[in-house]
Amino acid sequence: MEERKWGFCLRQRLLFLGYRKNAIKAAKSLGLDVDIACLGGEPSPVHSYPLNIWYSESEEKLTEQIKNSFAPGDPGYAAILALTERSVPFAGRLRDQLGVFGMSEASANLCHFKNQMKDVARKNRFRVAEHTVINIQTDMDFLIEKWGWPLIIKEAGLSGSRGMKFCWDRSELVEAWHVGKLVEALVRGREMSIESLLFGGEVRFTNFTAYHRLFEMNLVPAKLSKEVSEDLLDFNKRVLSAFGIQSGMTHLELFLTDEGPVFGELAVRPPGGHILCLIEKSYGFDPWKSVLQIAMGLEPDLSPWSGKYSGAWIIHPGAGKLVRIEGKDAILRMPELDKLRLKVNCGQNILPRIGSGVEIGHAIFSGESYDQVAKALDLARETLLFTVESPPR
């Protein structure tokens, strides 16, 4: 789980695995050349800025295209960054193959596959949810009796609640039960996350994110007592040390319980949920630039908390035909609103929400207190109303 030796790199070309426009914007502002490789369909819109952009469902094809893009004597990439959860193991493989500084494939796998990361956490004496990977011999009835309801079914290597199913009875569990998936007991606690920026083997920045509404609303920074904050700072550092994380950005999900924090999952890539936007508003620096500076071996631009709170509402009213939107003018008049973006119009079909990163739009709020932003988020949800015709079964 050790990373390669950290050091300054003079080469200026980066490879992004995954398409995130704010990462491209930050690279451009820093004068860095960028190639992009996407495991999946063509991103939209495709910017003209990157040197090359490739997209395929095949890692082998993408690897071939990447390798063939170099002229003889080309020094290669200064860094390879996974910008999506799906690309984390692929990034490790490419670094190993191309001799690029950063997390190896073996370490990336431990921070990607949920069963492996939870096993690492448990071996290092962190509390984790009861879990097991389903195989043909897994006794469903035994787990129901042992862990109770609900039981949670997850894909081993997906993020943003993709593939997650909360099962409240046996019929739901039978439908979701598949060999290779992870089945997990529910943790009774308040879920939240910790974002960190590491440089030179040290944690240089830490943020606590409150999940004001799980999978729907995030608020930065979380409202915690001094004692809990200090406990979580220590917990976070011990987790990152256990996984051998030396540099880059991490997103640690955990549960606050009466018995202390419970490890949830650890991501070694910039999080979604508009958390980086909220960090920029509340702290006054661009975390995307900091991520790229760290990747280049440069001291990151950071600043302390400004005293400002910010929140994001990730909007998705359910699948079906969008018939009516009400309350838009009212929400636009809210003093806490910084941005409202809706990506669909009436008459268009809304696809099912297969993960928390799927949205039809979002709203960003800011204020001088946690409670002010929390109330604005709740009021916005009550004000902006969508009428959706459910798709026929």
Side-chain angles (χ1 to χ4, degrees), residues 15-20 35-43 53-66 80-94 105 109 112-113 157-158 162:
L15 175 64
F16 290 167
L17 298 183
Y19 185 88
R20 295 181 72 171
D35 292 346
I36 297 176
C38 299
L39 281 167
E42 179 178 355
I53 184 163
W54 307 285
Y55 38 92
S56 174
E57 291 289 346
S58 167
E59 287 189 9
E60 291 76 13
K61 184 176 180 180
L62 286 176
T63 301
E64 181 182 1
Q65 291 173 315
I66 291 165
I80 298 174
L81 288 86
L83 303 186
T84 64
E85 187 59 39
R86 183 183 181 187
S87 64
V88 168
F90 183 35
R93 278 191 287 278
L94 281 176
E105 179 183 3
N109 286 342
H112 172 74
F113 294 104
L158 295 181
R162 289 176 182 267

Side-chain angles (χ1 to χ4, degrees), residues 199-210:
F199 180 70
E202 297 180 358
V203 178
R204 299 295 188 89
F205 167 82
T206 307
N207 167 70
F208 301 132
T209 297

Side-chain angles (χ1 to χ4, degrees), residues 215-387:
F215 307 136
E216 186 179 359
M217 292 179 173
N218 297 319
L219 210 163
V220 167
K223 189 178 182 180
L224 303 168
S225 69
K226 181 179 179 181
E227 181 182 5
V228 170
S229 296
E230 290 176 350
D231 288 345
L232 290 180
L233 285 172
D234 176 68
F235 179 80
N236 182 57
K237 287 184 179 180
R238 289 189 292 113
V239 168
L240 299 181
S241 176
F243 282 85
I245 311 298
Q246 297 290 310
S247 66
M249 188 166 202
T250 59
H251 170 70
L252 171 61
E253 296 183 342
L254 61 112
F255 300 87
L256 292 179
T257 73
D258 293 340
E259 293 76 34
V262 176
F263 177 92
E265 296 173 9
L266 176 65
V268 287
R269 42 88 187 159
H274 303 284
I275 291 175
L276 268 65
C277 171
L278 303 185
I279 289 175
E280 182 172 6
K281 286 187 172 296
S282 291
Y283 293 86
F285 71 93
D286 183 353
W288 278 113
K289 286 186 179 179
S290 301
V291 167
L292 300 187
Q293 287 168 331
I294 290 171
M296 298 296 297
L298 302 172
E299 188 79 30
D301 294 329
L302 303 171
S303 57
W305 177 48
S306 67
K308 190 174 185 179
Y309 293 86
S310 54
W313 174 25
I314 304 162
I315 303 170
H316 194 289
K321 183 179 179 180
L322 180 60
V323 176
R324 185 182 302 110
I325 303 174
E326 301 173 84
K328 185 176 179 180
D329 289 341
I331 195 174
L332 289 173
R333 290 193 296 269
M334 292 178 62
E336 296 87 0
L337 181 71
D338 291 332
K339 176 184 178 182
L340 172 65
R341 184 188 179 198
L342 296 177
K343 305 176 184 178
V344 296
N345 297 312
C346 291
Q348 290 183 288
N349 287 319
I350 300 173
L351 297 176
R353 195 180 192 204
I354 59 174
S356 60
V358 177
E359 62 173 53
I360 67 158
H362 57 270
I364 306 295
F365 299 86
S366 60
E368 299 305 314
S369 73
Y370 182 96
D371 291 341
Q372 179 187 5
V373 176
K375 289 177 181 178
L377 287 166
D378 291 337
L379 178 60
R381 193 173 186 268
E382 296 171 2
T383 302
L384 189 62
L385 303 177
F386 300 87
T387 302

Side-chain angles (χ1 to χ4, degrees), residues 102-136:
M103 181 173 283
S104 66
E105 179 183 3
S107 294
N109 286 342
L110 294 178
C111 300
H112 172 74
F113 294 104
K114 292 179 173 61
N115 55 315
Q116 294 187 38
M117 75 172 68
K118 291 176 186 291
D119 289 345
V120 170
R122 175 173 284 167
K123 288 176 182 176
N124 283 274
R125 301 182 182 277
F126 297 105
R127 295 172 61 222
V128 299
E130 294 288 348
H131 65 278
T132 189
V133 177
I134 299 170
N135 59 48
I136 59 174

